[in-house]
Amino acid sequence: MKKFRKVLDGLTTSPGTIGSPTCGSAASTPTAAPTPREIDVQEMLVSENFQICKTVRHGFPYQPTALAFDPVQKIVAIGTRTGGIRILGRPGVDCYCQHESGAAVLQLQFLINEGALVTACADDTLHLWNLRQRRPAVLHSLKFNRERITFCHLPFQSKWLYVGTERGNTHIVNIESFILSGYVIMWNKAIELATKTHPGPVVHLSDSPKDEGKLLIGFESGTVVQWDLRVKKADFRIYYDEAIHSVSWHHEGKQFMCSHSDGSLTMWNLRNTTKPFQITFPHGKVGKDGRKESCKPILKVEYKTSRNSSEPFIIFSGGLSYDKAGRRPTLTIMHGKAITVLEMDHPIVEFMVLCETPYNNEIQEPYAVVVLLEKDFIVVDLTQSNFPIFENPYPMDIHESPVTCTAYFADCPPDIIPILYSIGAKNKKTGYSQKEWPVSGGTWTLGSQTYPEIIITGHADGSIKFWDASAITLQMLYKLKTSKVFEKPKPSEGRAADLAEEDPFAVQMVSWCPHSRVFCVVGISAHVILYRFSKYDGNTQIVSLDLRLQGDGEDPVSPSETENNPCFSDPSCHSPQHPPASPGCGTPDGAKDSNQCLKVKSRPVRMPPGYQAELVVQLLWVDGEPPQQITSLDVNSAYGLLAFGNCNGLAVVDYIQKSILLCMSTLDLYGAADPYQRLTRSPRKNRQSTSGLTELTDNQVSMDMERSKSPTSVPYPTSIHNDPRILPEPVASLRASHYSPVFYLLDNDHVNGHCTSPTSQPCSAGKPRLPVGPEGPRLTRRGPGRPPFRKAQSAACMEISLPVSHTEESRENSFSRSRSSSVSSIDRDTKEAVTTLQFGESYGRKNDALPSPCLWVGTSLGVALLIPISIPTDHEERLEEALTVGPSGGVLMLKGSILRFASLDCGGSLIQSPYEVWRDPNAPEDPDRPRRRKLVNFSPSSSQEACGDGHLAVVCSEKQAKVFLMPSQTCLFVHNITESSFVLRADVVSVCNSICLACFCANGHVMTLSLPSLRPLMDVNYLPLTDMRIARTFCFTNGGQALYLSSPTEVQRITYSQEMCDNLQEMLGELFTPIETPEAQNRGFLKGFFGGNAQNVDREELFGEAAAGKASRSLAQHIPGPAGMEGMKAAAGGVVGDLARARIALDERGQRLGELEERTALMMTSAETFSKHAHELMLKCKDKKWYQL
């Protein structure tokens, strides 16, 4: 804890010292005149309260490659192309692991009922994972040096793993020691000597159900060999013309089935292996000419028997004919004469048939099929004739439509989750299997530290999903479709078609008040929708307001003109008494092509219970140009106001009276307090960038380039930006103006050795921005023509990559040092974006005595404006009287684009924004109790008894954070957060019953600063910014938590709270639960007598070092896991190693002594019990004769 004192009153500052060097220098505080009035703020947070770690990952594993299932533990594992592993059990049991190498997972093998997992990766390394702990870890690794791994097989209850390679050889690995056996099946020994061609890679390995000493090896070329492990020779060899993809045994071990590349299935009997006794083309049709149609390969087949039916299940993927293009991937289930074809929405990666028994020599009794698709995970019920699918309890549909924005709310009102769930449950799909979810392994209990948490995701199709994120789980509560507010868009023509959105309803950002349940959505088509929550149906007329917030891109702007003229041509938009607009999309005079805005439904719309649209505000096209993207949004239910801004200006809407309160350019907001001198700019027309960002970044080339380049040290990557669709004009000097802002933010952090942000202007170290003066240097507004992107970003939050105010000047060549820079005002314009907004109670002017409703406005040039708003307090007056806005409040300045505002009282506590208590707008009227608004106000004056009026304002920008005293607007504290990078996300959050400022920088650092002193508490280089998806979706919340979209389909949650890290183990699920392995069935005397029972083999005798010898050291390298490495390092550390060994020995000795003590106590208790019973027996028999006993 740190106790500090700050002088609050009597600070002598001149009006021009807001941006003075004193406030702008790093780690400096303004000087203060002595005064008797001081305030004590006890800061509770220290560095020990913070630690960052990952908690849980939700969603579908991105780019899956492999699948495995443990039939006893009933858990499933999914491997991915990036080296990740997701292990799933019952709801709540969800674990994510990552290979350090990042190599793709080729195959997964469970050690059934042993709590371990073997992974084979694309870098030819085998890994053994320990699943008996909540956070699985690698125990051993084995790196193959000379051969590439293609297939692995681990027999049930065996410790010897068969490994097939690309050269056609089969090696054997001891699972316990993870070293190679000297026993090797060479490909040239497996095939006949007369064969002149190589059989190809090993694609299948399995032991015979009838005899464990027989290994079936399938080669890609079509050769199948059964190898006798005892005598080390082949029992039989099969040669087939078509390539083999998979092999599956009948449980009796007398026949097996192969799937081939020509779409055929072949059945082979061990009695006659010269030719298959059955060849079928399940989907091959015979044409009129008698020729069969060519079919696609059958990639996998499963051959399973059932006790209730004499007919087996034959399940396979692929095999369709080539006659129809664009056919969906299919899974075919053949049961007797019935053939069922299940069409899938995505390509099938892998499938597995779930059976009742883990033994391969028993009747399998299949009951379900797990199907892993490229973008989905489903389970089919085989016990019902119509083969329904199970309802998936995991949140695998986050990416149903690409995620475009995220929001995270912790410690929500407790009643919001049940009501959202009850309404969302009414719209759930039906037709699922009635049986329980078959993947039911592991255990999970509700942790002690749980509170209501909600995650909101916006999507490219305009849908919004509310998720219950309490107790590190994720369950969808409610889905809202914003597209239902509009008519279906009609196809555009001409230039409008070129600039039309592919996803016109894509959600750009959201603002939600959980207490009042007011919800506001910004769409990619420059529209804002306001929703109110109701438990009843409604038949509502949606009100639509149209306005123009469009700057004139051609006319030069002089300093004198900017002081008097707005940046739009319709002066009526200024009027506070703007009349309510009629429903529909209006077309004011002077606007061209305004019909390109989305058309709001003009008829009354029936709305189901839930969120119901009440108001739509749209920005219109002007002179054939689309409106600029909305970059900031805030809504306040207590004031009944909605505010949003873009790079042209600010609009404030009264959603109670359905009127436009304010519509002004950013320049006009300053009034006489404009700190900048405006210059003319180049008369160059802005072109809207149509670079697509909705895709899930499937382009491996661009992904690899993003991985290989540091986000803070690379120049423009021409291979990404030279696409002719992105660069319609081959002008090198204008190339930056056509970049996608997302790539621009990633690849152009450093320019001329100085890391900049696309939303910031240069500011020399320790110096303020240039104030207005008659002889002061001039500073212009905008970088080289950064247009907003026009297509929905996949996981985009648009205020990060604003299309304004980027400079190519380094700190050494900034305008404050040299006016002879080659970048002159002709390359810049006067636009200044509104980057953040926040309503709250504050002091709009320095001489205000009482706080009043205000709107904080932050701009891309580091200017914070305070706009006071006059709102009637009476309920009736609020409904009828017009509100007044005075955009002439205080002006504060920081370095970099403004990101966040917050207000603290003089005791250091956070002042929440006021809100209206929720009331149902469609509830029946009660004549005895008229409906009135109930407001909850957190005024700064309500908690100022000890220190009088005033409060602290926290302002955070891309470069620094400042704390101001209001109403004097004096800078009390300043901290330069970063010099070499810039802040992407900042928020004031609660941690350990206190508050701090949390920041996420573009260089991957996560920082926390104390409040109000801005003392650094944590700075961790946590997340290298290799993917802009992280930057666009990273968000903080209370409780020391945060989240980001780690892939297009997954949400990663993290914590930076030490308390939560300590309690994380009890919150996670257990993957392994002790379960007795089911016993093998007794096959009876007759079957055993006639050779029906499987023959066992002592694999240790065959593969052990005594019989097989040691494998070549150059063939594979054993790598100990993390635990083994720590032991080796301790042993090699001399005295440190001795101390470590001594400590371990003491721990073990203490543990043994403790166990001995427990056993001794048990023995003593048992002895006392025995003595007691013996004494009782003696007393009972003491006086009895021998014949009475």
Side-chain angles (χ1 to χ4, degrees), residues 257 265 267 301-304 312-316 332-335:
M257 178 179 290
L265 297 173
M267 289 280 292
V301 64
E302 292 268 18
Y303 186 26
K304 303 297 180 183
F313 279 92
I314 300 174
I315 304 171
F316 61 89
T332 304
I333 303 174
M334 298 173 61
H335 189 212

Side-chain angles (χ1 to χ4, degrees), residues 4 41 43 904 908 954 963 988 995-997 1009-1014:
F4 63 88
V41 176
E43 290 194 352
L904 312 180
V954 182
V963 176
V988 175
I995 60 171
C996 66
L997 176 63
L1009 305 173
S1010 67
L1011 289 176
S1013 68
L1014 300 178

Side-chain angles (χ1 to χ4, degrees), residues 403-512:
V403 179
T404 53
C405 74
T406 58
Y408 193 6
F409 300 89
D411 205 7
C412 299
D415 60 334
I416 191 68
I417 290 180
I419 193 169
L420 285 174
Y421 180 80
S422 63
I423 292 177
K426 299 176 182 178
N427 301 321
K428 277 193 173 182
K429 297 179 181 178
T430 58
Y432 293 110
S433 172
Q434 299 301 315
K435 295 193 174 182
E436 292 186 0
W437 179 252
V439 186
S440 57
T443 56
W444 179 77
T445 56
L446 201 63
S448 59
Q449 290 189 342
T450 58
Y451 42 83
E453 299 176 68
I454 288 181
I455 294 174
I456 300 177
T457 56
H459 300 265
D461 63 352
S463 62
I464 295 169
K465 295 180 180 179
F466 290 75
W467 305 84
D468 178 10
S470 307
I472 71 170
T473 60
L474 196 70
Q475 181 183 12
M476 196 173 84
L477 297 172
Y478 174 71
K479 183 177 181 180
L480 174 67
K481 294 182 179 180
T482 62
S483 59
K484 291 186 176 181
V485 174
F486 304 98
E487 304 284 357
K488 291 184 178 180
K490 298 179 180 179
S492 305
E493 297 179 359
R495 173 170 172 77
D498 297 336
L499 300 179
E501 301 291 348
E502 291 187 14
D503 301 299
F505 307 112
V507 179
Q508 185 175 341
M509 65 183 71
V510 297
S511 180
W512 184 49

Side-chain angles (χ1 to χ4, degrees), residues 719-779:
S719 60
I720 292 181
H721 300 300
N722 282 342
D723 191 331
R725 294 171 297 178
I726 302 176
L727 302 179
E729 297 177 341
V731 182
S733 62
L734 302 182
R735 181 172 298 178
S737 67
H738 299 287
Y739 287 165
S740 162
V742 171
F743 283 126
Y744 186 78
L745 179 57
L746 171 67
D747 298 324
N748 195 30
D749 293 339
H750 267 83
V751 182
N752 295 334
H754 170 53
C755 180
T756 59
S757 161
T759 60
S760 63
Q761 287 285 353
C763 185
S764 57
K767 293 193 176 183
R769 300 187 179 279
L770 301 178
V772 176
E775 298 178 0
R778 295 184 176 186
L779 181 65

